[in-house]
Amino acid sequence: MICDLCPRECHIERGDTNGGYCGVGMLPKIARIAPHYDEEPILSGTHGAGTIFFSGCSLRCVFCQNYTISSEDNGRYITPYALSEEYKRLESMGVHNIEFVTPTHYIDAILESLEIYRPKLPLIYNSSGYDRADSLRRLEGIIDVYLPDFKYSDNMLANRLSGCNNYVEIATTAITEMLRQTGEPIIEDGLIKRGVIIRHLVLPNHVKNSIGVLELITEWFGTHVPISLMSQYFPAGRAEEFPDINRRVTKREYQKVLDKLYELGLDGFAQDTESADIKYVPKWDY
Ligand code: SF4
């Protein structure tokens, strides 16, 4: 099919195994399917989030913590039917939800798999925030929880590190659509059932960008959307080519952003700075 699924709008013929900017075909290419215990506590609970890590990416940040699956050729193609069977396998393992990680470029295959089998668990859409609102509208009534990143308040930085000069406009529009679909968060027995959580990864030397993100969130969405402020950055992928991001985030940098979060009256989750370690990157073993 001619693919314009994401904001890259490649408008190319995308076959089963060949794609445009995202680098992958229409068939789901999978890097890992397993319970995951390192998400926010309202996602991981005690039995884990049922994560499905898709290969390829429409954003392809140079520093991606999962670079080997987002921009290199890791993973295995499966059919939508095989994907639907994986939902059953995860359910039988007792996970709390089914979490699609980096699903933007696979919306068609995901919808097809859900027509074959709809899990009885909340469905989580975990994306870069670089999503087209009209593609998201196709997920209305299907996705229960959106977990978008909000990476940049500075489009020049977005252009340098993620190759897009419209990240701010795309992410604010996408998150507006996500919030329209889900409304306020619903949390039962310590687990999220519905809503939006916005993630932000603090980058070294870019505290101003992070503070700008928190200000944009407050301005666009108010203070009721939970924020997950992440400190897990370590130089990965092509980060060594970019001196400003070729180190970890200091405790002082992270604290400055956290202070701003409190000052603005935002709430959510803070991450232990010890989590900035390659050992927390999952094994791509599918
Ligand atoms: S999903 Fe892939 S092929 Fe389609 S528009 Fe986006 S980057 Fe291009």
Side-chain angles (χ1 to χ4, degrees):
M1 79 169 219
I2 299 294
C3 189
D4 289 315
L5 251 186
C6 81
R8 298 289 181 192
E9 297 187 27
C10 297
H11 204 68
I12 48 109
E13 179 66 40
R14 187 168 165 215
D16 282 350
T17 57
N18 68 291
Y21 194 95
C22 57
V24 284
M26 296 296 287
L27 285 177
K29 193 174 188 185
I30 307 290
R32 180 175 171 83
I33 299 181
H36 193 58
Y37 300 93
D38 297 327
E39 302 288 56
E40 291 78 358
I42 57 174
L43 289 164
S44 285
T46 49
H47 301 301
T51 46
I52 300 174
F53 287 88
F54 292 101
S55 303
C57 182
S58 53
L59 196 55
R60 301 179 87 161
C61 308
V62 296
F63 56 82
C64 180
Q65 310 288 279
N66 298 340
Y67 194 83
T68 54
I69 66 166
S70 64
S71 297
E72 293 175 354
D73 197 30
N74 256 310
R76 182 157 69 89
Y77 281 110
I78 64 173
T79 62
Y81 174 78
L83 184 58
S84 74
E85 290 293 302
E86 293 291 355
Y87 304 153
K88 295 179 193 166
R89 187 167 71 87
L90 283 169
E91 274 184 326
S92 72
M93 295 166 98
V95 297
H96 299 296
N97 47 58
I98 302 292
E99 181 181 342
F100 302 112
V101 184
T102 322
T104 303
H105 46 302
Y106 288 125
I107 286 177
D108 285 86
I110 290 169
L111 287 172
E112 195 179 333
S113 68
L114 290 170
E115 271 175 31
I116 300 166
Y117 178 70
R118 170 69 164 91
K120 293 160 197 72
L121 298 170
L123 299 181
I124 320 283
Y125 183 96
N126 170 349
S127 80
S128 65
Y130 199 60
D131 291 273
R132 271 182 72 157
D134 50 0
S135 292
L136 293 173
R137 276 192 277 279
R138 297 171 60 200
L139 301 171
E140 184 164 11
I142 295 169
I143 293 296
D144 301 289
V145 178
Y146 285 98
L147 189 58
D149 292 339
F150 198 144
K151 292 175 185 288
Y152 305 107
S153 57
D154 174 353
N155 273 337
M156 276 168 65
L157 186 64
N159 204 18
R160 194 160 67 87
L161 301 181
S162 298
C164 59
N165 58 12
N166 56 356
Y167 183 88
V168 174
E169 293 76 9
I170 294 287
T172 46
T173 307
I175 296 171
T176 300
E177 172 58 22
M178 294 172 184
L179 284 163
R180 184 193 70 77
Q181 289 182 24
T182 67
E184 300 264 317
I186 298 175
I187 297 169
E188 291 169 6
D189 301 326
L191 292 167
I192 189 160
K193 304 292 178 186
R194 200 167 167 75
V196 176
I197 305 170
I198 302 176
R199 280 178 167 175
H200 175 69
L201 177 69
V202 180
L203 297 174
N205 283 310
H206 292 292
V207 166
K208 205 169 152 202
N209 175 62
S210 293
I211 287 177
V213 164
L214 297 181
E215 287 172 342
L216 275 175
I217 290 172
T218 312
E219 183 188 323
W220 274 74
F221 315 121
T223 54
H224 296 295
V225 185
I227 310 300
S228 179
L229 195 62
M230 306 173 86
S231 63
Q232 70 183 48
Y233 180 87
F234 63 90
R238 294 173 48 215
E240 64 180 17
E241 296 170 33
F242 299 80
D244 52 324
I245 57 165
N246 195 22
R247 64 161 172 82
R248 287 166 204 244
V249 172
T250 64
K251 283 191 175 154
R252 190 154 179 269
E253 286 173 323
Y254 186 70
Q255 190 60 47
K256 272 191 187 170
V257 184
L258 199 54
D259 288 348
K260 188 67 186 185
L261 182 135
Y262 294 140
E263 184 195 314
L264 290 168
L266 293 162
D267 203 355
F269 307 90
Q271 203 176 30
D272 194 322
T273 41
E274 302 306 311
S275 37
D277 198 303
I278 198 165
K279 74 181 181 206
Y280 292 106
V281 175
K283 285 195 171 56
W284 311 124
D285 55 2
Y286 188 71

